[in-house]
């Protein structure tokens, strides 16, 4: 079913592209759809292009894993449209023809502006393109049962055909199609979440109707003996220990024990066996290279297989210590992979996680159907306990790279208030400077989201597809209404995925599709198909922006010659192919990072490189061409440079994040003011030496 829906969506998108391609032969037709799009269609297309996988997959996942803090992305993404509506919409339509650099350079006619702004469009588009491609791979992997990189390649190839063939017209109608579907089916999924309510006793089916039921992780009493534990498990013995040490207090905050134990095994009569491991039943043959370590032990005439897996110690002040079962993936020194103590494979992979273990007594075993406010009230109750997935990564002395996925019991009231992702209050033993950096990181992110929206190239070019400035403002109002509604719904998609135990422990990006699958294959197929068109809609807009920047702004300035309209359209198509290929490569490289988190970087670069130049060009008469050029270049270099030196990128390089030169992950709090200061300083220094901008009157 899911594959059929996927194919149908692909064919529909390609059909639109083919039809629209007939209108994309002229420069105006290819780059701005001849400015003939109705404001209502453009408004929904705005929503369809803006509501990227960062919104649909990323934010829902962040809410599911981090509660209230994930919803802050929704607030930031929506708030940025206030700037777009009251400051940017009408001037952009009046001052440009095809591209953002075109508008920025209108009052100067300076080739340096088009070069700098064109470069900025390319950089921002690539930063925004990467998380879309990552989300595409994450989505297609379970949908079609193929590796992540093939998912990225398939989606990238379809988008290249879409943009190179149909230009802005096809991009507009794909985004319109996507925006409408997103709003309708996000509403359907939200209603389903409210109708199901919350139940600690749920046994949701994973992987479709034929999949296994959600697994209840074991909990056993233990006795501690130094670094050893004695647990009531068949054949149990401790073979390893790892502790996570709190960097502030030096205390062991989480302790894991590696336990060797016996599991019942069933023979098939042909020398093979099956054994149930966390609700899955992989098949194995003893003694083979792929199954080494899986040896059968006979006890009282029964067959057992010995595995080693990791358990979390839950100490108790009263002496009743417990071990809680976890999941883990381990990469051996020879490259082989174990999942939960057995070789990884289709029949042995990680289970979904999440859920609610306790709700207020007044609801009994389940709440039943609830209203929107009642659901949030139950989750916010202090007696509610949710199970949040968390991860610990370390290497053993034998060179094994271990990733443990465990569940953290969290009070509902804590889950539904700020602090899990962006800690704003000092933790025990935390230095004052760390608390300050956490707050600066949060402020920096909010700055980027609020100021970056109206400076995103694929958003700005949409203003050129409508016939008038009034239509630009109307389409912005429609966009705000649709986007605002959707972001309210993401809150229910996120908490619904958590309460339904529909979380992939390795990536938060699959929370919404897995939530849909918990209601059946049909809804999963439709939601996955919509998520696919979401990728196409956003990526096509990004590639169109990059294509226009190169063909219309960079090519003529770099080569210093005038090109015919036919040559510009042809070069635009070629650039679409090149940018698409680059996006595919980067999408494969950044697998595993949350897409909303990476989109925050794109917003920071856009707010740093584009917004100061745009606002000062519109509203400060002393702005000079040299000031704009310097501001754009400083914004690009500072934002990108600080990102590359951030703790998250330091960890991606395999280095200690604590040693990163940039102490916070979000660069906006530094790069945005720096770009603005440079623009003012350079403009004042070069005043009278070049052409001045005649800023239009402020918008009433």
């Amino acid at each position: 079913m899911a594959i059929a829906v996927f194919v149908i969506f692909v064919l529909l998108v390609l059909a639109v592209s083919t039809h629209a391609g007939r209108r994309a032969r002229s420069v105006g037709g290819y780059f701005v759809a001849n400015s003939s799009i109705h404001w209502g269609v453009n408004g929904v297309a705005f929503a369809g292009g803006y509501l990227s996988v960062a919104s649909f997959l990323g934010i829902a996942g962040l809410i599911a894993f981090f509660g209230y803090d994930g919803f802050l992305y929704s607030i930031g993404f929506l708030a940025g449209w206030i700037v777009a509506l009251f400051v940017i919409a009408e001037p952009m339509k009046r001052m440009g023809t095809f591209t953002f650099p075109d508008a920025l350079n209108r009052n100067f006619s300076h080739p340096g502006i088009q070069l700098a702004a064109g470069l900025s469009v390319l950089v921002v588009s690539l930063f925004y393109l990467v998380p879309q491609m990552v989300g595409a791979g994450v989505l297609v992997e379970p949908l079609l049962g193929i590796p992540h990189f093939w998912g990225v390649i398939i989606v990238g190839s379809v988008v290249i055909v879409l943009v190179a063939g149909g230009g802005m017209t096809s991009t507009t109608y794909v985004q319109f199609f996507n925006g409408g579907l997103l709003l309708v089916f996000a509403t359907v999924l939200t209603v389903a979440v409210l109708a199901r309510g919350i139940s600690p006793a749920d046994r949701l089916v994973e992987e479709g109707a034929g999949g296994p039921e959600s697994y209840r992780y074991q909990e056993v009493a233990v006795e501690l003996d130094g670094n050893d534990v004695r647990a009531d498990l068949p054949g149990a013995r401790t073979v390893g220990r790892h502790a996570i040490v709190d960097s502030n207090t030096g205390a062991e905050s989480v302790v894991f024990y590696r336990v060797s134990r016996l599991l019942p095994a069933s023979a098939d009569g042909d020398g093979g066996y099956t054994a149930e491991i966390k609700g899955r039943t992989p098949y194995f043959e003893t003694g083979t290279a792929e199954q080494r370590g899986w040896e059968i032990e006979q006890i009282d005439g029964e067959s057992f297989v010995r595995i080693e897996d990791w358990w979390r110690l839950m100490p108790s002040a009263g002496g009743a210590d417990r071990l809680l079962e976890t999941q883990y993936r381990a990469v051996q020194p020879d490259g082989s992979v174990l999942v939960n103590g057995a070789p990884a494979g289709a029949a042995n992979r990680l289970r979904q996680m999440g859920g609610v273990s306790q709700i207020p007594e007044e609801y009994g075993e389940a709440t039943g159907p609830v209203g929107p406010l009642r659901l949030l009230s139950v989750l916010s109750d202090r007696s509610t306990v949710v199970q949040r997935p968390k991860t610990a990564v370390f290497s053993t002395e034998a060179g094994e790279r271990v990733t443990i996925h465990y569940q953290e019991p969290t009070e509902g009231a804590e889950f539904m208030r700020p602090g899990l992702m962006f800690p704003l209050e000092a933790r025990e033993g935390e230095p004052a400077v760390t608390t300050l950096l956490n707050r600066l990181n949060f402020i920096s992110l909010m700055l980027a989201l609020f100021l970056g929206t109206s400076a995103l190239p694929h958003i700005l070019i949409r203003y050129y597809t409508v016939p008038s400035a009034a239509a630009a403002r109307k389409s912005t109002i429609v966009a705000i209404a649709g986007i605002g509604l959707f972001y309210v719904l993401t809150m229910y998609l996120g908490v619904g995925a958590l309460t339904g135990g529909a979380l992939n422990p390795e990536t938060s990006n699959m929370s919404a599709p897995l939530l849909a699958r918990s209601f059946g294959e049909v809804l999963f197929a439709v939601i996955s198909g919509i998520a696919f068109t979401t990728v196409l809609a956003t990526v096509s807009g990004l590639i169109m922006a990059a294509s226009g920047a190169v063909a219309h702004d960079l090519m003529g300035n770099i080569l210093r010659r005038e090109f015919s309209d036919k040559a510009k359209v042809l070069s635009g198509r070629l650039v679409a192919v090149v940018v698409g290929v680059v996006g595919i490569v980067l999408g494969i490289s950044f697998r595993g990072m949350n897409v909303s988190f990476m989109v925050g970087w794109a917003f920071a670069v856009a707010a740093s490189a584009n917004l100061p130049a745009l606002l000062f060009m519109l509203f400060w008469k002393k702005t000079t061409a040299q000031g704009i050029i310097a501001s754009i270049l400083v914004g690009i270099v500072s934002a990108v440079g600080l990102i590359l030196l951030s703790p998250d990128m330091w960890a991606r390089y395999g280095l200690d994040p604590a040693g990163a030169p940039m102490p916070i992950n979000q660069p906006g709090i530094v790069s945005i003011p720096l770009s603005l200061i440079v623009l003012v300083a350079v403009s004042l220094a070069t005043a009278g030496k070049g052409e001045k901008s005649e800023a239009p009157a402020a918008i009433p």
Side-chain angles (χ1 to χ4, degrees), residues 550-563 568:
V550 173
H552 185 70
D553 302 304
L554 293 180
M555 191 172 68
N557 284 294
I558 293 175
L559 299 180
R560 297 190 178 279
R561 55 171 292 193
E562 188 64 33
F563 289 88
K568 288 183 179 180

Side-chain angles (χ1 to χ4, degrees), residues 13-14 17-18 21 30 154-167 170 543 573 576-577:
V13 167
L14 291 178
S17 178
T18 302
Y30 183 79
I154 290 173
V155 171
S157 300
V158 173
V159 172
I160 289 171
V161 172
L162 169 70
V163 176
S170 67
I543 294 180
R573 298 184 197 274
V577 174

Side-chain angles (χ1 to χ4, degrees), residues 149-516:
F149 71 89
W150 276 116
V152 175
I153 291 172
I154 290 173
V155 171
S157 300
V158 173
V159 172
I160 289 171
V161 172
L162 169 70
V163 176
M168 181 54 82
T169 303
S170 67
T171 297
T172 296
Y173 285 101
V174 168
Q175 291 176 341
F176 174 80
F177 178 61
N178 173 67
L181 287 177
L182 270 177
L183 290 171
V184 170
F185 282 95
T187 302
V188 169
L189 200 50
T190 298
V191 171
V193 167
L194 297 175
R196 183 163 67 188
I198 304 174
S199 172
D202 269 348
R203 291 292 189 278
L204 302 177
V205 175
E206 296 183 21
E207 298 152 28
E213 290 186 340
S214 184
Y215 183 71
R216 179 72 70 179
Y217 296 95
Q218 297 181 68
E219 178 178 333
V220 298
V222 296
E223 293 181 10
L224 295 178
D225 182 12
N227 286 335
D228 195 9
V229 297
R230 289 189 291 273
D232 186 19
L233 292 168
R237 61 176 183 263
T238 304
V239 294
R241 182 182 188 273
H242 178 77
I244 299 176
V245 178
D246 190 308
S247 59
N248 298 316
T249 64
E252 294 182 342
S253 56
V254 183
V255 177
F256 300 102
Y257 282 93
R258 190 170 196 165
V259 178
S260 174
R261 61 188 177 114
L262 295 173
L263 297 177
S266 301
D268 66 353
D270 295 323
Y273 292 84
T274 57
E276 184 174 304
I277 301 178
K278 294 179 173 51
R280 300 191 185 277
T281 52
Y283 174 84
F284 65 97
E285 296 178 3
T286 59
T288 62
E290 292 77 14
Q291 311 289 351
R292 60 184 177 279
W294 276 50
E295 297 301 331
I296 293 296
E297 297 184 21
Q298 299 292 336
I299 302 176
D300 296 331
E302 296 186 9
S303 300
F304 293 85
V305 63
R306 182 171 291 279
I307 69 165
E308 296 178 358
D309 58 355
W310 290 88
W311 295 64
R312 180 187 179 185
L313 177 66
M314 298 293 288
S316 172
D321 298 328
R322 298 165 294 147
L323 281 184
L324 297 183
E325 190 178 17
T326 70
Q327 298 191 87
Y328 83 97
R329 177 186 296 273
V331 180
Q332 306 298 303
D334 63 0
S336 60
V337 178
L338 297 179
V339 171
N340 297 327
N348 185 42
R349 57 188 186 275
L350 296 175
R351 301 294 307 248
Q352 292 176 192
M353 300 180 74
V356 177
S357 57
Q358 180 179 308
I359 58 175
E361 292 183 359
E362 62 191 90
Y363 294 103
E365 293 186 356
T367 63
V370 292
L373 297 181
R374 175 63 63 183
L375 178 69
L376 301 181
S377 174
V378 172
L379 284 175
S380 302
D381 196 286
R382 290 189 176 277
S383 59
T384 297
V385 177
V386 300
Q387 298 292 333
R388 288 198 308 123
K390 298 195 73 175
T391 300
V393 182
F394 57 91
S395 295
T396 65
E397 293 181 356
E400 184 182 37
R401 185 68 172 172
V402 178
T403 303
I404 298 178
H405 302 283
Y406 63 101
Q407 299 194 141
E408 182 72 43
T410 304
E411 187 180 279
E414 181 182 356
F415 179 76
M416 296 295 287
R417 68 170 183 258
L420 291 179
M421 186 177 183
F422 303 109
L424 302 180
E425 298 179 358
R427 296 170 176 173
E428 182 182 357
E430 183 177 84
V433 66
T434 303
T435 307
L436 175 62
L437 290 175
N438 287 334
R439 294 175 179 175
L440 289 177
N441 193 55
F442 172 71
I443 295 171
S444 186
L445 173 65
M446 290 298 106
L447 265 177
L449 298 185
F450 182 73
L451 299 177
T453 297
S454 54
L456 293 172
H458 70 295
I459 296 299
L460 294 173
I461 61 173
R462 291 232 58 86
Y463 287 118
Y464 304 138
T465 63
V466 292
S468 66
R473 174 173 282 194
K474 290 178 182 178
S475 63
T476 305
I477 294 173
V478 172
I480 292 174
I483 292 168
L485 171 61
F486 181 81
Y487 282 143
V488 171
L489 299 178
T490 60
M491 176 167 48
Y492 294 97
L493 301 186
V495 298
L498 172 72
T499 60
L503 305 183
N504 183 330
E506 293 189 297
T507 173
S508 60
N509 295 325
M510 277 301 293
S511 299
L514 291 180
L515 169 65

